[in-house]
Amino acid sequence: MALRCCVVQETRLDTARIRAARQMIDPLFLDTPLYLCEALEPDLGCAVSIKLETANPVRSFKARGTEVVTGLLAANGSRAAVCASAGNLGQALAWSGRDRGLDITVVASRFAPAAKLERIRALGAGLELVDGDFDMARERAADIARHEGVRLVEDSLDIETCEGAATIGLELVDAAPSFDAVLVALGGGALATGVGHVVKALAPGVEVICVQPLGAPAMTRSWRQRRVVTTDSTDTIADGVAGRRPIPAVLDDLLLVADDAVLVQEASIIAGMRMLLDRAGLVVEPSAALGVAAILEDRDRFAGRHVATIVCGGNVDIDAYHRWIGAAPLREP
């Protein structure tokens, strides 16, 4: 245990700051439901507790981070910020910025789910679309920040986004003695490094397992090889975790707090979404089903264990959702 505590101190995150971050976050986004979903056990062969991060105004965990970011910006007299987003961060930054009088610009791919883009506009943010993926949007957002002299909010790189997400970990560890493992969706890394930091600091016996789509494997490959590995493209329905270029500093943190990183197939993600609908009554986006997908693909690993999974987002294109769910078997990927 002493070794683990020493290792966690080497990350960019700080447990005291994470506790303080709770005071900056609107209570709407805190103390989200955590419950044992007994209906999942017969199909998955293990006890599964759900940490539900969709029952809030932006339907994802991202506002935990943007509340901290915008709170600090407003306190320092800043009046504007820009970010790149696959959809969820943009909504969250728009919501948090609006409440603090900040002028928010979001850059996104025009191929992002229409429902996410519409919600960003509805929340009052300026929206610029690029003819490319998230990494192209990130480049454009950086250009805007340089040219206009405004704050560039970079998810996962900005420590506030990680420490905001880490407040989920504080809520999990209250029940952690009953968990054997926590399954965390892995994209840019804010959620995984944040939750991982807290779990390893306060409940080091709990296994932290990151889950990423096989069609967007850059961060998982980087974790496995202990160096940044990029990919030329992504091919996954889980748009919220579909990055190609891991951030070195975030990878450094992930290497210290993640026990494992696994890749799952698209069919497993869809089967997980269907299972969460049929067994838990939850409409979730693909990224939120990654934990269930990991169990589906390796039932023997989790058999008889108690696993927590973070249902991290519920912003989904309804037409696409119906296509996926209609084609998905319930029990097998």
Side-chain angles (χ1 to χ4, degrees):
M1 182 178 296
L3 177 60
R4 285 193 181 278
C5 290
C6 178
V7 168
V8 169
Q9 290 172 2
E10 295 177 6
T11 72
R12 296 177 301 141
L13 288 80
D14 179 81
T15 304
R17 285 201 309 262
I18 293 165
R19 294 189 186 282
R22 281 183 57 89
Q23 307 308 311
M24 303 181 68
I25 300 170
D26 191 307
L28 282 169
F29 303 104
L30 294 173
D31 300 313
T32 51
L34 172 64
Y35 59 95
L36 179 66
C37 186
E38 295 181 12
L40 289 172
E41 187 167 355
D43 291 306
L44 296 178
C46 62
V48 179
S49 285
I50 287 173
K51 181 63 168 165
L52 188 64
E53 292 294 312
T54 63
N56 62 58
V58 298
R59 294 185 289 188
S60 83
F61 77 95
K62 294 288 189 180
R64 290 180 184 253
T66 59
E67 286 287 278
V68 180
V69 170
T70 57
L72 292 172
L73 285 174
N76 291 332
S78 298
R79 305 314 309 162
V82 60
C83 75
S85 176
N88 286 349
L89 178 72
Q91 291 178 70
L93 189 62
W95 194 93
S96 298
R98 183 184 65 179
D99 268 17
R100 292 168 174 85
L102 299 176
D103 181 13
I104 302 298
T105 300
V106 178
V107 184
S109 168
R110 68 176 66 257
F111 308 110
K116 294 183 179 182
L117 300 180
E118 290 168 5
R119 184 62 178 155
I120 290 169
R121 292 190 183 99
L123 288 167
L127 180 63
E128 180 174 325
L129 302 179
V130 298
D131 292 317
D133 62 8
F134 170 78
D135 288 291
M136 183 177 290
R138 190 161 67 181
E139 293 172 0
R140 175 56 184 156
D143 287 341
I144 292 173
R146 282 193 297 268
H147 294 151
E148 299 187 8
V150 300
R151 167 69 182 272
L152 173 64
V153 178
E154 295 191 79
D155 197 21
S156 302
L157 179 59
D158 286 358
I159 199 64
E160 300 93 339
T161 62
C162 302
E163 292 183 341
T167 59
I168 297 171
L170 292 177
E171 294 165 22
L172 280 171
V173 296
D174 286 340
S178 64
F179 297 145
D180 298 302
V182 176
L183 293 165
V184 189
L186 178 60
L191 182 62
T193 59
V195 171
H197 174 93
V198 172
V199 169
K200 289 306 173 189
L202 303 180
V206 176
E207 190 177 16
V208 175
I209 304 171
C210 303
V211 190
Q212 196 165 41
L214 188 62
M219 186 62 99
T220 296
R221 289 181 181 174
S222 299
W223 182 86
R224 290 175 179 176
Q225 297 185 35
R226 304 188 68 84
R227 63 179 180 85
V228 170
V229 177
T230 62
T231 60
D232 293 331
S233 62
T234 60
D235 184 15
T236 179
I237 62 171
D239 60 288
V241 293
R244 296 185 287 110
R245 303 171 187 170
I247 299 169
V250 182
L251 174 61
D252 289 344
D253 291 339
L254 191 69
L255 288 169
L256 295 173
V257 302
D259 293 299
D260 200 3
V262 301
L263 297 171
V264 295
Q265 301 175 56
E266 296 296 290
S268 302
I269 298 171
I270 293 171
M273 294 170 68
R274 170 74 183 277
M275 193 170 288
L276 286 167
L277 175 64
D278 288 350
R279 295 291 186 254
L282 298 175
V283 175
V284 306
E285 61 187 83
S287 300
L290 287 168
V292 174
I295 301 171
L296 284 169
E297 291 201 0
D298 199 354
R299 285 184 174 88
D300 289 344
R301 175 177 185 172
F302 299 101
R305 303 176 76 191
H306 185 179
V307 179
T309 185
I310 301 169
V311 175
C312 54
N315 291 296
V316 65
D317 181 274
I318 293 300
D319 290 337
Y321 182 83
H322 285 305
R323 289 197 304 273
W324 297 329
I325 298 305
L330 177 58
R331 292 181 178 272
E332 298 292 337

